[in-house]
Amino acid sequence: MLYNPFIHVRLDEPKLRFRYNLHQHPRIGLYKYGPYSAYRIREINIKIITERHLDNSIRELIRRLTKGYGRYKGFKETFYLTEEVNINDSDYYSIIVNDENEIEQMYFQVAEEFSSKIGVIVFALRDYLINKFYAKLKALRFKYTANIVRVQLLKESVLRKALLDPLSMEYILWNLSTAIYTKCNGIPWVHYGSILPAGIFIGIAFTKPKLTKEYTSSKEIFCYGVMTIYNKYGIHIDTRVTPIMLQIPKNRPLPKTKGLFIPYNDMKNLLREIINRYNPPIVIIHKSARFHEDEKKAIDHILGNRDIDYVLIHIEGFNPYRGFTNSQLKFTVIRGDLILDREKPNRSILFTTGCTAIESEIKLRKRPGTPRAIELEIEKNMSSFNAETLAQQVLALTKLDWNTTDIEIRMPVTIKYARKASLLASALQVRTIDIRDLMWYINT
């Protein structure tokens, strides 16, 4: 028999808890059983800022958002609200955008109109405006402190696609309504049971570095390091942003974010704050690049000296691994397929995209292209967890992205939302961020 250096394991699709039952698919679970926080949110308050040429289109989308379309039953029925969602002509505001100051002034003007303490302003704008002012738009929420008025971005291309294609309309309505409900402090679903017996997850990301000073033989660069923290259920509980100064040789090009790290003292200070606040017995840290020696030493100093078990996992999204699918489902890749390496037990390949196994039935994927795997490298494991268990945790953490009702989510929230926070880091005025403020625009 030929020696096979690999072991194939098929992990079960994680289950989610809704109001009345469990289900593996976010959208089906919401449709059948209602949101986890059903009846806890009394009302949804929405106002819309849009450009004049999009006025009729956004009104049609909002009408369907409130009343329903296809299997989407409308705001009140889908999310078990105690009051109707009424959006009147006075809730629409037209804007002509020449610069970011006009957007900011309009946001403040509209935010003052909310009578309740929590609301959402939907910006329906041309794609290039949202791309250009993304960080500024998302950071507006922190400049207005009288109430919680969050921002929901909607690109013109997404709006147009929804109005042209009935399937896209229903899909976009599910995602948009779930995002708005969440931003009004709703909880659409949670993981069934704890992902960790106890402890926390941490995700690390960075902003793009900028050159600040040049010396004779070196240069100084500046960036922000971001840590997102999640409890044992995978629920976001904290985000920390810290400024970082690094010196590199003068002839070396500016590193990409993958070449960055949190220096020894900064990492010690961040971890000390987190450990003192949450007192976890186990810490699982995810990073989209390899851990630097400074980071490893600081982690061991803080966690090792307190007898806290920990695991360092490099989650690599850029790799050559692709899966195979066909219409007969023979040899097809299923989300949850895990390839373990006998010769490198600290390494595994996990497919978080592909066909899905829902209630023991394999469903064909509807997306084009071949499924892409993520590579997991366990750089240090001071816990009792093996590679399969750690991969199961990563798979579970892909299910807790409230920005979409899709099931095929490639990256865990630990990595995805640390990256989202890094995009906003330079514009933020606070150190602690709610994950609801990191949810981005709706994709098709």
Side-chain angles (χ1 to χ4, degrees):
M1 181 181 292
L2 291 175
Y3 171 69
N4 185 353
F6 302 108
I7 304 169
H8 171 250
V9 178
R10 180 158 290 170
L11 304 177
D12 291 334
E13 182 66 52
K15 292 180 180 180
L16 301 173
R17 180 178 291 281
F18 298 87
R19 172 64 177 178
Y20 292 113
N21 212 330
L22 310 176
H23 205 280
Q24 293 166 304
H25 198 299
R27 191 158 53 251
I28 298 173
L30 275 178
Y31 176 78
K32 286 186 172 182
Y33 309 122
Y36 178 75
S37 60
Y39 302 114
R40 299 181 201 171
I41 305 299
R42 289 179 51 83
E43 57 185 358
I44 299 291
N45 297 285
I46 307 170
K47 296 185 185 296
I48 299 97
I49 297 175
T50 189
E51 297 176 272
R52 186 169 298 170
H53 72 285
L54 296 177
D55 187 75
N56 290 336
S57 298
I58 188 63
R59 285 174 185 266
E60 178 61 20
L61 183 76
I62 294 297
R63 183 183 69 81
R64 297 178 182 182
L65 186 73
T66 56
K67 303 301 182 184
Y69 183 86
R71 287 170 61 86
Y72 168 68
K73 297 174 287 187
F75 251 126
K76 184 178 181 182
E77 191 173 347
T78 298
F79 296 101
Y80 293 65
L81 304 177
T82 56
E83 298 182 19
E84 291 284 355
V85 178
N86 295 313
I87 301 176
N88 304 311
D89 287 344
S90 60
D91 294 317
Y92 290 86
Y93 299 80
S94 181
I95 187 172
I96 299 174
V97 182
N98 292 312
D99 58 47
E100 63 185 68
N101 292 329
E102 292 173 340
I103 296 176
E104 183 173 315
Q105 289 170 9
M106 180 63 81
Y107 169 85
F108 287 132
Q109 174 189 331
V110 175
E112 288 291 335
E113 298 296 324
F114 281 96
S115 56
S116 63
K117 292 186 176 181
I118 299 178
V120 174
I121 296 177
V122 177
F123 280 91
L125 304 171
R126 283 168 286 172
D127 290 26
Y128 94 89
L129 289 175
I130 288 180
N131 292 336
K132 182 178 181 180
F133 298 126
Y134 174 81
K136 298 290 186 182
L137 283 163
K138 297 297 289 183
L140 286 173
R141 174 239 174 298
F142 300 100
K143 292 187 176 183
Y144 182 77
T145 57
N147 295 323
I148 297 174
V149 181
R150 295 192 166 101
V151 172
Q152 177 63 54
L153 304 180
L154 183 64
K155 289 184 173 182
E156 179 179 359
S157 61
V158 175
L159 177 57
R160 299 292 189 199
K161 185 171 183 179
L163 295 174
L164 288 173
D165 177 24
L167 289 177
S168 293
M169 170 63 80
E170 187 175 328
Y171 177 75
I172 289 165
L173 289 175
W174 275 110
N175 290 347
L176 182 59
S177 63
T178 303
I180 291 174
Y181 174 76
T182 303
K183 289 177 181 181
C184 289
N185 285 353
I187 301 175
W189 59 79
V190 295
H191 187 268
Y192 170 56
S194 63
I195 302 173
L196 271 176
I200 59 174
F201 295 96
I202 296 176
I204 299 177
F206 301 88
T207 59
K208 291 182 180 180
K210 295 181 179 180
L211 178 65
T212 56
K213 291 180 182 179
E214 288 193 84
Y215 303 100
T216 305
S217 59
S218 65
K219 53 189 176 185
E220 188 176 78
I221 60 174
F222 173 83
C223 67
Y224 287 99
V226 177
M227 281 186 170
T228 50
I229 301 102
Y230 305 79
N231 64 17
K232 65 180 182 177
Y233 299 100
I235 301 297
H236 176 269
I237 53 176
D238 203 350
T239 295
R240 301 299 176 102
V241 178
T242 186
I244 294 172
M245 303 293 293
L246 297 171
Q247 283 203 355
I248 61 173
K250 190 173 184 178
N251 59 356
R252 183 186 297 176
L254 286 181
K256 297 180 180 179
T257 54
K258 279 187 172 293
L260 298 174
F261 64 95
I262 301 177
Y264 178 77
N265 287 328
D266 293 321
M267 177 63 89
K268 279 205 312 180
N269 292 336
L270 278 173
L271 274 180
R272 189 180 288 113
E273 289 177 13
I274 293 168
I275 299 308
N276 287 342
R277 181 169 184 178
Y278 299 107
N279 194 30
I282 304 169
V283 178
I284 312 291
I285 304 180
H286 295 166
K287 190 182 176 187
S288 59
R290 285 190 170 90
F291 288 83
H292 190 274
E293 284 303 313
D294 268 23
E295 294 172 321
K296 290 181 180 179
K297 290 177 182 178
I299 292 167
D300 189 63
H301 179 85
I302 297 297
L303 302 185
N305 287 343
R306 300 195 188 192
D307 293 325
I308 297 173
D309 292 344
Y310 67 91
V311 186
L312 309 183
I313 306 177
H314 166 209
I315 300 180
E316 181 57 67
F318 297 97
N319 58 62
Y321 307 118
R322 300 293 182 270
F324 176 80
T325 60
N326 65 9
S327 58
Q328 289 75 41
L329 300 177
K330 189 177 182 180
F331 306 119
T332 193
V333 165
I334 308 295
R335 178 180 141 87
D337 278 348
L338 176 67
I339 310 299
L340 300 170
D341 193 329
R342 295 179 193 269
E343 298 180 356
K344 296 180 179 179
N346 67 321
R347 171 182 174 269
S348 62
I349 299 167
L350 173 64
F351 283 91
T352 51
T353 61
C355 297
T356 52
I358 304 296
E359 296 180 334
S360 302
E361 182 182 353
I362 296 177
K363 304 283 188 181
L364 277 173
R365 73 193 307 252
K366 297 179 181 179
R367 293 184 177 184
T370 55
R372 299 168 58 202
I374 57 176
E375 186 173 3
L376 309 180
E377 181 186 359
I378 304 167
E379 294 199 34
K380 194 161 187 178
N381 187 356
M382 303 299 290
S383 76
S384 59
F385 300 130
N386 59 25
E388 182 178 337
T389 301
L390 293 168
Q392 182 71 61
Q393 294 170 1
V394 171
L395 184 65
L397 288 166
T398 66
K399 300 290 288 282
L400 296 170
D401 182 0
W402 294 329
N403 203 67
T404 178
T405 57
D406 201 356
I407 194 171
E408 267 196 87
I409 304 300
R410 187 161 180 255
M411 298 299 288
V413 289
T414 44
I415 297 296
K416 181 180 285 188
Y417 279 91
R419 288 174 176 170
K420 294 301 175 185
S422 73
L423 295 176
L424 299 176
S426 61
L428 295 174
Q429 304 298 313
V430 296
R431 285 170 55 88
T432 302
I433 310 163
D434 190 303
I435 198 168
R436 293 170 172 85
D437 301 310
L438 302 178
M439 293 168 65
W440 57 107
Y441 48 78
I442 300 299
N443 285 316
T444 55

